[in-house]
Amino acid sequence: MNFKDILWMPIDLPVFDMKDELVNDFSVDFVADAKSYDVRGQLFLEHSDNYSISKVKEGLTNSQNHLIDYCRTHLPFTDLVNIKIHHIKTTGMKLHIDFGDPEKNTEMWEHTNMHEPCGFRMIIKGTKSGDMVVNVDDNNIVPVMPDETDWYAINYTECLHGSNPVSTDIDDRYVLFCMGRIDKEKHKELINRSINKYSDFIVKN
């Protein structure tokens, strides 16, 4: 089944039980260098070039190791490529496409594009709805997150999205970003289950 018309959707996954600990354990590995990105980030995998498979860092805290175990258990990945937290403040991030340049890794871009939506995100802290927009035909749509989940999936290769332009004072938003090589059957089961549960919340192209 082709889900590629889905730009954004809530995902039916259990609530992660150590979100407060993740915030307490957060440390800055990088700061976005663009003026239009008010973002600090923490990486949980070793550095890899251009969306290649990576390994978990040594020396993670208990909450961070628990998070890695959670992702391996619940996300439809065969291998991990990137797991990180963005700490977003003030004006946040301008509209962008996460994996918009196929030339960085043509094979991985094609793999990702084939399995959209597969950009899995968890809201760790901050407003669940209102601070993010998805752009559809030059119109900014504000997705609505259901109360019972913190997870959503975004179309990595085609979805133009970013912080809501009217949000000029975003207050301590922490979002987990997960990317990996997709297990086709597990992905199909998760997306179908989430569509059945959250069909009224989905943003389509």
Side-chain angles (χ1 to χ4, degrees):
M1 183 178 294
N2 189 340
F3 306 115
K4 285 184 62 179
D5 62 335
I6 296 173
L7 296 177
W8 181 98
M9 65 177 292
I11 295 296
D12 181 28
L13 288 176
V15 172
F16 181 70
D17 61 0
M18 297 186 73
K19 291 184 292 183
D20 290 343
E21 290 86 346
L22 286 177
V23 173
N24 291 336
D25 292 341
F26 180 84
S27 61
V28 176
D29 288 325
F30 67 91
V31 177
D33 55 5
K35 292 181 179 179
S36 51
Y37 289 82
D38 190 1
V39 175
R40 289 136 296 282
Q42 181 176 23
L43 305 171
F44 297 129
L45 304 184
E46 295 177 357
H47 175 75
S48 62
D49 293 325
N50 297 331
Y51 302 98
S52 57
I53 293 169
S54 188
K55 296 180 180 179
V56 177
K57 281 184 172 182
E58 295 184 358
L60 296 183
T61 68
N62 182 48
S63 71
Q64 294 161 358
N65 280 314
H66 185 45
L67 175 69
I68 297 297
D69 290 341
Y70 175 101
C71 291
R72 284 174 164 158
T73 299
H74 294 290
L75 296 179
F77 296 152
T78 60
D79 297 283
L80 302 177
V81 172
N82 194 5
I83 297 181
K84 62 182 178 178
I85 291 176
H86 277 180
H87 179 202
I88 305 164
K89 296 183 69 175
T90 317
T91 55
M93 308 175 75
K94 71 175 184 178
L95 292 176
H96 63 283
I97 296 173
D98 287 338
F99 195 175
D101 184 3
E103 293 186 4
K104 288 186 176 180
N105 185 329
T106 302
E107 189 277 332
M108 185 60 186
W109 188 93
E110 291 174 350
H111 172 83
T112 303
N113 183 259
M114 184 186 306
H115 296 99
E116 297 286 18
C118 61
F120 293 98
R121 311 280 186 265
M122 179 178 72
I123 299 172
I124 300 169
K125 180 181 177 183
T127 305
K128 290 184 71 170
S129 302
D131 284 342
M132 176 188 173
V133 297
V134 171
N135 190 273
V136 182
D137 296 330
D138 293 327
N139 295 310
N140 285 334
I141 308 298
V142 179
V144 176
M145 283 287 290
D147 291 336
E148 64 267 29
T149 185
D150 298 317
W151 284 90
Y152 63 90
I154 199 164
N155 186 311
Y156 240 132
T157 55
E158 297 178 8
C159 181
L160 185 64
H161 65 287
S163 298
N164 193 332
V166 305
S167 298
T168 57
D169 191 19
I170 297 172
D171 183 25
D172 278 349
R173 179 176 169 87
Y174 290 79
V175 180
L176 178 74
F177 291 70
C178 301
M179 183 180 189
R181 294 195 65 89
I182 298 298
D183 181 308
K184 181 177 180 179
E185 293 306 314
K186 290 181 179 179
H187 179 262
K188 182 170 67 174
E189 189 279 329
L190 177 59
I191 297 300
N192 275 323
R193 187 176 80 228
S194 301
I195 289 173
N196 290 337
K197 189 169 185 177
Y198 298 125
S199 60
D200 292 341
F201 295 86
I202 295 172
V203 178
K204 293 187 177 183
N205 199 352

